Amino acid sequence: MTTRGGGTALTRRNYRLASDMDKPRTTGIVNEKLLSDYLHHVFPSAKPGATPATLRKPLGFQDLGAHLDRLLSEEEPAEDGRDQQVDGRVGPQPVVLDHTSGFEGLLFVDDDLLGVIGHSNFSSIRATTCVYKGKWAYEVLISSQGLMQIGWCTLNCRFNQEEGVGDTPDSYAYDGNRVRKWNVTTTNYGKSWAAGDIVSCLVDLDEGTITFCLNGQSLGTAFTNIKTGPGIAYFPAISLSFKESVAFNFGSRPLRYPLNSEDPPTTDLTNAHKLLGFIKNVLSTSIDTQEEKLLEKDCATWKLHGEPTVLVTMAHIFNHFAPLMCKVYLVEDVLMNFLLGILEGGGSVDEHPLIQQLLDLFWLLMEDHEVNECLKQLMMSLLRAYRFSPIIPDLGFQIHYLRLTTAILRHEKSRKYLLNNVLYPSAAVPPPLSHRLNLENGLVKEAGLEELIPTTWWPTHFDKEGKDEREPKDESADERLRRRAYERGCQRLKKRIEVVEELQIQILRLLLNNKDKTTGEASRYIFLNKFRKFLQENASNRGHPTALCPPEYMVCFLHRLITAVRACWDEACRKAPSSLSSEDAYVPPQLFYNGKVDYFDLQRLGGLLSHLKKTLKDDLASKANILIDPAEIQAASMDDLDEDEESGAAQRPFGAAAMGSTLVRPSWLSSPTPGRANRFLSTAAVSLMMPRRPLAQPEKVKVRSLPVEQRTEEDIEGSHGNDGLLLGRPQEEPDQPMSDKSLLEIIDGIVMMYNLSVHQQLGKMVVVADDVHEYAVALKDTEEKIARCPPRRADIMEELQKSQKVFAEKLNHLSRRLAWINATIYSKEKMLDVYWLLCVCIRTIEHADNTGSLFAFTPEFYLNVAMNAYSALKNYFSPANSMEELPGYEETLTHLAAILAKHFADPRIVGTDIKDSLMQALASYVCYPQSLRAVERIPEEQRVAMMRNLLAPYEQRPWAQTNWILVRLWRGCGFGYRYTRLPHLLKTKPEDANLPSLQKPCPSLLLQRHMAELLSLDKDMAASFLNSVLNQLNWAFSEFIGMIQEGTAAAERPERNFVDTRQLKVCATCFDLSVSLLRVLEMTVTLVPEIFLDWSRPSAELLLRRLAQLLNQVLNRVTAEKNLFDRVVNLRLPGLESVDHYPILVAVTGILVRILVDGDRQG
């Protein structure tokens, strides 16, 4: 399978090199003798017994070409015939993975078509070339140690999501995860593999055998007598499960473990090393023209000064060297190792300018297609080496590769080429960010973590509720030593990871450079357009996982990008002290409606963008000086994107700006179901209207609404008379100078990234800490059982000891993994990043809210991120890091409380999902003492408005969540309502202690007082509110009784039957709603008894009568002996645990007691 990695097919230009005879000697070329000595020094003969210097034939540039050809042909081995047609195989060269037809399932395939990541249950893919006779081999680099089957298959094999390579006839596979071989049936074979291992797959079609090797060691013949003959040919193939990944080598690079006589392509490799040696000689030699002698010098100090002798010498070398640098295995083995060697001395990348000089030389002496291919292969090789390098205690490999990446990207021309062509692949190839910025923190390999954290520790002391005790008083000396050793290991790990992260941030800062304009558009604007396109791909393909960036990459990218953007922002602020600092950053509201930033089809708070542009066009004109062309609105609403501009111009009102012909919608903006928001963004014409002057026409400024890739720096940053991204500042928005407007769009993208997948991934990683806790509890329980086990029961003791060993091994693994996650995901620095993001969203929402009706243009994800970021800070980063330690924590809580209180019933917000999210967030907010105090700190006017919205009649709106909010404000004050957990569940479900609804009561007397004042002063509102509560109570309790009647009747039938669990959940929900509605009635009776007892109120008697009827109905159903309710409670059905006499009877009792007490008092 070994085929040479062919480079580009373009022919190299044969330029003519100047010789001594072509130019006069006054051009800077040194004299003949010195030149001859110099060339003989740079190009020494490798033959033994070379001619002494005194007898050497003079060498000049006219002879150098022939001399160089002789040196490269010395000891040249016979050609191995790699470029000739090889007998025994069918298919193209080079061999790659068949991503067009030879696959099954969902897969990510790298852009070199050699790496693959599974993205479905069990995906399969084969190579493009098959073999039918002879001996063949290929190698697979394992990057994850999960479930995979690697081997060979024929064209007749048909795979699916359950059956892969080795599961069908004529397919053969090795599985190092389960240590088995597969060919329809399976048997034990080989050794277990790990991430970073190399699997060699060998087939001998002359003998009919298949063998596998692991890291060069044969595992023995796996299969014999395989089918051969006419019509039978075998393809390299693999099947792999979700998230597993490998990289193939079919011979485009030398095999890591060559077999027998199988050697790498030595001719090109030898010549490349020779030529590199000549280059090193040039770098380490200087010519002293005054003394007419050669001087040795340090390579690191070499600079490209334009000396003719050196340049012509280098040109001769690069005439041979440049074509070789288009081949991937030569780039890896020769160039990459040479460049890495330059950085081996340590120090910062700035201390090694030689790499910059060499890249200048590459761009000077190589053809454009050659240097492009060379840089592409070099960057891909660095990525591959970074991804698959093993973790060692100091993360040295990862740091080394990132340092070289940084050094390459410091070169302006190389950076822009890579940023435009390599560092952002299309959506069809695998994870964009892994290729783009090398931002994954390496591969977590267990062996490496064992060296990093030799001593493991986990909690062994728990309180009554099963929670960990951070500093137990009865901790033994041995436990204390283990814990401290584990903490020291975690700190060592964190420090090494910080070095990697700092290098990644340096890479991002290079890509965010906006000063490198000498070779065209600045890097930042290239990056910004690529970043926006990346966001669009991930936003529009959320249902298509193959097109998405893996969330673990997204988390790393988000944190590094936040750090890099804040550093760039503060650097610009130092040059303009009056501008806003990154600590106070926010996204101005005009970005949401001026058409400068594309939000794709993402929902706005007020609905679709096209709808908002039509309904709020007058507000845009009066508040933001933006006029919308009516013809363009009509075209967008009718989906007529090609409407003639001239016909529209005739209909324009006075004062509207003309915009040229309608822009063509780019193909990448298309989608199967293009939304109106997207269509409008590409066609809507907006213009800036200056303040009106008496007796004068308003000045008109044309504004373009361009696709992402067509924008220029002026469209983003603005220029004279053009505000760029800040076009259309509303009157309510302060004229705050912003340092770099392009950073605003990147911050906006960061918020969108968090909403797309980062928050979800943060939640997933918490599972590891939960697993550590569960296994620690299980281990402690097992040890206690071992201590109690009687000596005569050796069988039980043996089983318990086996369990103890399993739990301990699992805890060793999980504790190291937890240390890695805490260092990379849940560290204090990452917490501060999420907190900064929360503050950005809060400030953005507050500024947008001040614009009045224009608030409807704000994308929904800003509110989502504000709520989710707070949830992450509260639930994911504790207990290692606490929210209380964050700067300005209480003030931020208060601002967020004001947003939730104001907007959960905001008529400008129309989306049902976002309204439900706001309601749930407010319900959770009032459940905890600290956040409830924040609600109490918001201005009184906002508190009263919130309570008024909560007390609105329950009909025609979602009322369950608002009812829960009222209940939580009351819990702790009602009759028998001071419990943390329901008394009958104390013993059966202790784990319920962690549920938000079962937190310790924290009533709000302040908000209760506001409720009392509102119901007391507004008699009509009080009557409508209570009537709606009584109506809903009647419905909820009737539904509950009806459901338990159906369930009991079904249970009494003689035939076998099953109760639907969903029906049980609905039944329990109706019961809980009934209890909560009774508690709200108790709250109302306690706070404002006159509503029922003051007969001067017209509705008091009717309300009291209705209340008495409902309470009688509840008591009749619940208290009768041996009735339906009793039977259901005694059955203890799963899902109906909360159904019991206690919660509903104490609520009814509370109402009756308050009526009796207050009735006597008033009577």
Side-chain angles (χ1 to χ4, degrees):
M1 298 303 300
T2 53
T3 125
R4 294 176 83 163
T8 168
L10 296 177
T11 58
R12 176 171 173 76
R13 184 181 64 203
N14 291 316
Y15 51 82
R16 187 162 176 258
L17 299 173
S19 68
D20 288 348
M21 299 180 66
D22 296 327
K23 291 188 176 183
R25 295 183 183 179
T26 57
T27 58
I29 304 293
V30 297
N31 65 59
E32 288 184 0
K33 180 181 182 306
L34 187 56
L35 176 62
S36 178
D37 292 342
Y38 175 71
L39 293 179
H40 277 295
H41 178 76
V42 171
F43 302 100
S45 175
K47 290 184 178 180
T51 309
T54 54
L55 303 177
R56 272 191 317 225
K57 181 182 177 181
L59 182 61
F61 285 131
Q62 69 273 23
D63 309 315
L64 183 55
H67 178 72
L68 192 51
D69 289 337
R70 283 195 302 274
L71 290 178
L72 294 177
S73 63
E74 287 178 359
E75 301 177 2
E76 184 175 289
E79 284 295 324
D80 52 14
R82 291 170 186 272
D83 291 331
Q84 302 171 4
Q85 181 61 39
V86 182
D87 191 22
R89 54 175 280 173
V90 177
Q93 291 194 38
V95 186
V96 293
L97 295 172
D98 187 353
H99 68 295
T100 57
S101 60
F103 68 93
E104 171 65 36
L106 297 177
L107 301 127
F108 287 138
V109 180
D110 284 354
D111 56 355
D112 60 2
L113 301 181
L114 294 174
V116 62
I117 303 174
H119 216 282
S120 60
N121 184 42
F122 203 50
S123 311
S124 302
I125 190 168
R126 64 172 184 260
T128 54
T129 299
C130 61
V131 295
Y132 57 90
K133 71 176 181 179
K135 298 178 181 180
W136 301 92
Y138 69 92
E139 287 182 342
V140 181
L141 175 59
I142 306 296
S143 63
S144 61
Q145 58 194 36
L147 180 60
M148 293 179 281
Q149 294 172 198
I150 302 171
W152 303 85
C153 73
T154 65
L155 193 60
N156 295 326
C157 295
R158 294 291 178 263
F159 304 129
N160 54 46
Q161 294 291 300
E162 301 298 330
E163 294 182 340
V165 181
D167 297 324
T168 63
D170 302 331
S171 68
Y172 305 87
Y174 161 51
D175 175 1
N177 176 262
R178 292 174 288 190
V179 195
R180 304 183 76 82
K181 61 181 180 180
W182 297 81
N183 175 233
V184 182
T185 60
T186 178
T187 55
N188 293 333
Y189 173 80
K191 300 177 182 177
S192 175
W193 60 36
D197 287 345
I198 301 284
V199 175
S200 304
C201 305
L202 297 76
V203 63
D204 185 342
L205 292 164
D206 299 329
E207 298 292 332
T209 62
I210 291 177
T211 305
F212 297 95
C213 299
L214 187 63
N215 296 326
Q217 295 184 351
S218 176
L219 302 175
T221 302
F223 303 100
T224 57
N225 299 320
I226 65 171
K227 186 185 294 186
T228 57
I232 301 297
Y234 289 92
F235 293 84
I238 184 174
S239 297
L240 64 175
S241 56
F242 184 70
K243 289 291 185 184
E244 305 301 335
S245 58
V246 298
F248 284 84
N249 180 9
F250 298 115
S252 59
R253 302 184 303 279
L255 297 180
R256 185 78 63 86
Y257 299 103
L259 306 167
N260 302 327
S261 60
E262 180 63 41
D263 294 321
T266 53
T267 303
D268 286 347
L269 201 57
T270 302
N271 287 343
H273 279 294
K274 283 182 181 179
L275 291 164
L276 182 62
F278 301 153
I279 293 173
K280 290 179 181 177
N281 291 340
V282 174
L283 300 180
S284 61
T285 306
S286 66
I287 305 173
D288 188 340
T289 54
Q290 301 294 328
E291 300 288 335
E292 294 193 353
K293 63 179 182 181
L294 306 179
L295 300 175
E296 293 289 333
K297 66 174 184 179
D298 185 5
C299 287
T301 62
W302 186 83
K303 290 187 178 180
L304 183 62
H305 289 304
E307 300 170 6
T309 304
V310 174
L311 284 178
V312 175
T313 304
M314 281 291 196
H316 277 89
I317 298 172
F318 270 82
N319 201 28
H320 296 272
F321 188 67
L324 296 178
M325 288 301 102
C326 296
K327 300 182 178 181
V328 58
Y329 67 94
L330 296 177
V331 171
E332 278 189 5
D333 194 60
V334 180
L335 181 61
M336 190 172 83
N337 287 333
F338 170 57
L339 296 177
L340 287 170
I342 295 173
L343 297 174
E344 274 181 355
S348 68
V349 176
D350 299 341
E351 297 171 13
H352 301 280
L354 179 58
I355 292 177
Q356 309 299 306
Q357 299 293 319
L358 288 172
L359 288 171
D360 282 336
L361 199 64
F362 277 38
W363 283 101
L364 178 66
L365 299 178
M366 293 172 70
E367 300 285 350
D368 283 348
H369 69 268
E370 291 173 337
V371 71
N372 291 346
E373 183 68 18
C374 177
L375 284 172
K376 175 185 174 183
Q377 297 298 347
L378 179 58
M379 191 56 64
M380 295 301 297
S381 297
L382 279 170
L383 167 67
R384 195 179 298 110
Y386 177 81
R387 284 174 60 191
F388 297 119
S389 293
I391 296 287
I392 58 175
D394 62 352
L395 299 178
F397 291 127
Q398 286 77 13
I399 292 170
H400 212 35
Y401 298 132
L402 282 176
R403 278 165 52 81
L404 179 53
T405 304
T406 307
I408 294 169
L409 291 175
R410 289 182 69 83
H411 189 264
E412 181 178 328
K413 194 171 182 180
S414 302
R415 176 172 68 247
K416 290 185 179 178
Y417 166 73
L418 291 169
L419 194 51
N420 268 314
N421 301 284
V422 179
L423 296 179
Y424 190 87
S426 67
V429 296
L433 294 180
S434 64
H435 287 262
R436 182 167 162 192
L437 299 167
N438 290 346
L439 288 176
E440 185 188 10
N441 268 333
L443 298 166
V444 185
K445 189 175 176 182
E446 184 66 20
L449 283 180
E450 284 179 10
E451 294 184 58
L452 285 162
I453 307 173
T455 306
T456 57
W457 173 86
W458 52 83
T460 54
H461 297 265
F462 309 97
D463 58 22
K464 293 180 180 179
E465 294 185 344
K467 295 181 181 179
D468 308 347
E469 291 184 12
R470 301 298 300 168
E471 295 284 344
K473 297 178 182 178
D474 56 345
E475 185 180 41
S476 68
D478 181 55
E479 288 175 335
R480 190 178 301 110
L481 286 173
R482 277 185 60 205
R483 176 170 58 82
R484 290 176 178 173
Y486 175 73
E487 289 170 353
R488 286 194 298 271
C490 294
Q491 285 302 314
R492 286 194 301 270
L493 171 64
K494 188 170 183 292
K495 286 179 181 177
R496 296 311 299 170
I497 288 174
E498 285 173 353
V499 176
V500 175
E501 291 176 349
E502 182 55 39
L503 286 166
Q504 294 170 342
I505 292 165
Q506 286 182 30
I507 291 173
L508 274 172
R509 291 201 63 182
L510 288 169
L511 301 185
L512 291 176
N513 186 344
N514 65 337
K515 307 299 181 188
D516 54 345
K517 302 175 185 177
T518 56
T519 56
E521 189 179 15
S523 299
R524 180 183 295 178
Y525 304 109
I526 303 173
F527 173 86
L528 180 57
N529 290 337
K530 299 285 185 180
F531 179 48
R532 207 74 198 175
K533 189 174 179 182
F534 160 76
L535 291 173
Q536 187 202 13
E537 288 172 354
N538 281 268
S540 59
N541 288 295
R542 296 186 77 173
H544 305 280
T546 51
L548 297 181
C549 171
E552 55 270 24
Y553 292 177
M554 198 88 93
V555 174
C556 296
F557 183 39
L558 176 109
H559 288 297
R560 310 303 177 271
L561 191 56
I562 286 176
T563 306
V565 166
R566 293 193 65 181
C568 293
W569 185 300
D570 290 334
E571 184 179 321
C573 280
R574 285 191 287 272
K575 298 176 183 176
S578 62
S579 59
L580 206 65
S581 72
S582 68
E583 198 62 43
D584 302 316
Y586 69 95
V587 179
Q590 53 265 47
L591 263 72
F592 306 142
Y593 54 74
N594 65 13
K596 293 288 185 179
V597 178
D598 188 353
Y599 287 99
F600 331 125
D601 283 329
L602 296 178
Q603 188 78 0
R604 308 299 182 100
L605 292 178
L608 289 175
L609 181 63
S610 55
H611 168 74
L612 294 174
K613 290 281 188 180
K614 286 187 291 184
T615 55
L616 296 177
K617 62 179 185 293
D618 293 338
D619 291 339
L620 281 171
S622 61
K623 293 185 177 183
N625 291 337
I626 286 183
L627 289 180
I628 307 298
D629 188 339
E632 295 291 350
I633 294 178
Q634 184 181 7
S637 62
M638 296 174 62
D639 296 337
D640 182 10
L641 300 182
D642 297 320
E643 182 177 340
D644 184 24
E645 175 65 16
E646 293 181 2
S647 64
Q651 303 171 20
R652 290 194 187 107
F654 173 76
M659 183 189 166
S661 60
T662 303
L663 292 164
V664 178
R665 191 162 184 262
S667 60
W668 63 265
L669 211 59
S670 301
S671 59
T673 54
R676 292 186 177 182
N678 233 0
R679 291 197 290 271
F680 186 86
L681 276 171
S682 59
T683 56
V686 296
S687 66
L688 183 67
M689 180 178 71
M690 303 302 289
R692 293 186 179 180
R693 302 173 187 170
L695 306 176
Q697 294 185 2
E699 185 178 350
K700 293 172 284 191
V701 179
K702 294 182 180 179
V703 178
R704 296 175 298 166
S705 181
L706 293 174
V708 171
E709 69 261 9
Q710 294 183 19
R711 294 187 308 173
T712 63
E713 178 183 348
E714 183 179 340
D715 295 318
I716 297 169
E717 299 290 357
S719 60
H720 303 294
N722 176 13
D723 287 334
L725 289 180
L726 300 185
L727 174 71
R729 180 174 62 86
Q731 299 162 359
E732 299 84 357
E733 178 68 12
D735 189 9
Q736 177 70 50
M738 298 282 183
S739 52
D740 284 330
K741 298 185 180 75
S742 53
L743 295 178
L744 292 173
E745 187 172 346
I746 296 178
I747 291 176
D748 176 78
I750 290 172
V751 178
M752 193 187 299
M753 267 175 61
Y754 187 92
N755 183 63
L756 288 175
S757 65
V758 171
H759 180 75
Q760 184 181 8
Q761 184 66 15
L762 288 177
K764 287 180 180 178
M765 307 300 273
V766 178
V767 175
V768 178
D770 296 339
D771 289 345
V772 169
H773 174 79
E774 289 179 13
Y775 276 100
V777 172
L779 179 61
K780 187 176 179 64
D781 182 56
T782 305
E783 289 171 345
E784 290 174 353
K785 288 178 180 176
I786 289 174
R788 296 197 305 268
C789 183
R792 66 180 183 276
R793 296 305 304 269
D795 54 337
I796 296 178
M797 178 64 76
E798 183 181 356
E799 291 299 321
L800 287 172
Q801 287 173 344
K802 283 182 182 177
S803 299
Q804 183 187 27
K805 183 181 178 182
V806 170
F807 291 149
E809 288 176 355
K810 190 70 175 176
L811 278 167
N812 279 327
H813 168 73
L814 286 174
S815 63
R816 291 189 178 102
R817 182 167 169 74
L818 183 62
W820 180 273
I821 289 171
N822 284 338
T824 57
I825 305 294
Y826 298 128
S827 67
K828 180 72 172 178
E829 294 74 20
K830 308 301 185 296
M831 187 179 192
L832 288 169
D833 285 345
V834 177
Y835 182 61
W836 176 80
L837 200 60
L838 168 63
C839 295
V840 166
C841 290
I842 289 175
R843 284 189 289 269
T844 300
I845 293 166
E846 289 174 343
H847 279 264
D849 180 38
N850 292 336
T851 62
S853 58
L854 300 186
F855 179 63
F857 284 97
T858 308
E860 281 187 357
F861 64 79
Y862 273 90
L863 274 172
N864 278 324
V865 171
M867 294 182 285
N868 289 335
Y870 166 72
S871 173
L873 291 169
K874 182 176 176 298
N875 299 315
Y876 300 161
F877 288 87
S878 61
N881 298 293
S882 173
M883 272 194 77
E884 286 81 352
E885 300 170 4
L886 294 170
Y889 158 71
E890 290 192 353
E891 184 182 356
T892 302
L893 276 188
T894 306
H895 283 286
L896 182 57
I899 288 173
L900 296 177
K902 180 172 184 179
H903 298 303
F904 84 92
D906 192 335
R908 295 172 296 180
I909 300 176
V910 300
T912 54
D913 290 343
I914 189 66
K915 291 171 83 169
D916 287 346
S917 298
L918 284 165
M919 198 88 73
Q920 291 170 16
L922 183 60
S924 176
Y925 222 69
V926 299
C927 206
Y928 300 93
Q930 290 175 324
S931 48
L932 179 59
R933 299 291 90 83
V935 176
E936 293 178 344
R937 286 195 299 269
I938 67 177
E940 182 177 355
E941 181 183 351
Q942 293 183 16
R943 293 198 305 268
V944 173
M946 178 188 80
M947 294 307 299
R948 186 181 296 278
N949 287 322
L950 290 174
L951 295 174
Y954 283 5
E955 282 81 14
Q956 306 302 321
R957 73 181 182 92
W959 56 270
Q961 282 292 349
T962 56
N963 193 75
W964 280 116
I965 294 172
L966 292 174
V967 169
R968 287 169 182 177
L969 297 177
W970 176 246
R971 193 157 65 91
C973 295
F975 181 83
Y977 205 34
R978 292 168 179 81
Y979 51 81
T980 303
R981 286 173 285 173
L982 289 170
H984 69 285
L985 294 180
L986 280 172
K987 296 180 180 179
T988 57
K989 296 189 73 180
E991 68 275 10
D992 282 349
N994 297 321
L995 295 176
S997 59
L998 297 175
Q999 295 298 316
K1000 292 182 179 178
C1002 53
S1004 172
L1005 300 179
L1006 177 62
L1007 296 177
Q1008 289 177 23
R1009 190 177 75 239
H1010 290 323
M1011 176 179 172
E1013 291 170 354
L1014 285 168
L1015 293 177
S1016 178
L1017 296 174
D1018 193 333
K1019 297 180 180 180
D1020 293 336
M1021 184 183 74
S1024 60
F1025 167 69
L1026 281 170
N1027 273 312
S1028 67
V1029 172
L1030 293 169
N1031 290 340
Q1032 300 303 337
L1033 174 60
N1034 184 37
W1035 168 83
F1037 191 72
S1038 300
E1039 285 291 311
F1040 167 68
I1041 295 299
M1043 285 184 179
I1044 62 174
Q1045 284 175 340
E1046 289 179 13
T1048 307
E1052 291 174 351
R1053 290 179 193 147
E1055 65 271 14
R1056 188 175 180 183
N1057 55 77
F1058 299 92
V1059 180
D1060 187 358
T1061 54
R1062 287 175 299 178
Q1063 187 176 1
L1064 292 177
K1065 288 180 181 177
V1066 173
C1067 181
T1069 302
C1070 287
F1071 179 79
D1072 293 338
L1073 286 174
S1074 302
V1075 173
S1076 68
L1077 289 162
L1078 285 168
R1079 286 297 184 183
V1080 169
L1081 288 171
E1082 180 195 17
M1083 180 184 183
T1084 309
V1085 168
T1086 306
L1087 296 175
V1088 201
E1090 60 269 21
I1091 292 179
F1092 293 96
L1093 302 175
D1094 183 359
W1095 300 109
S1096 63
R1097 286 182 173 239
S1099 59
E1101 184 178 357
L1102 178 61
L1103 288 172
L1104 185 60
R1105 182 170 295 164
R1106 288 197 64 195
L1107 177 63
Q1109 289 174 347
L1110 279 172
L1111 294 182
N1112 276 327
Q1113 180 186 347
V1114 172
L1115 290 173
N1116 286 335
R1117 292 288 188 178
V1118 174
T1119 58
E1121 292 185 11
K1122 297 181 181 180
N1123 65 355
L1124 188 62
F1125 190 84
D1126 266 345
R1127 289 203 297 274
V1128 170
V1129 170
N1130 294 329
L1131 283 174
R1132 293 295 176 203
L1133 295 173
L1136 293 183
E1137 293 89 351
S1138 62
V1139 177
D1140 193 74
H1141 293 86
Y1142 180 82
I1144 195 163
L1145 285 180
V1146 290
V1148 173
T1149 306
I1151 297 172
L1152 294 174
V1153 168
R1154 291 312 309 177
I1155 288 178
L1156 291 172
V1157 170
D1158 291 321
D1160 288 343
R1161 189 179 301 155
Q1162 294 189 13

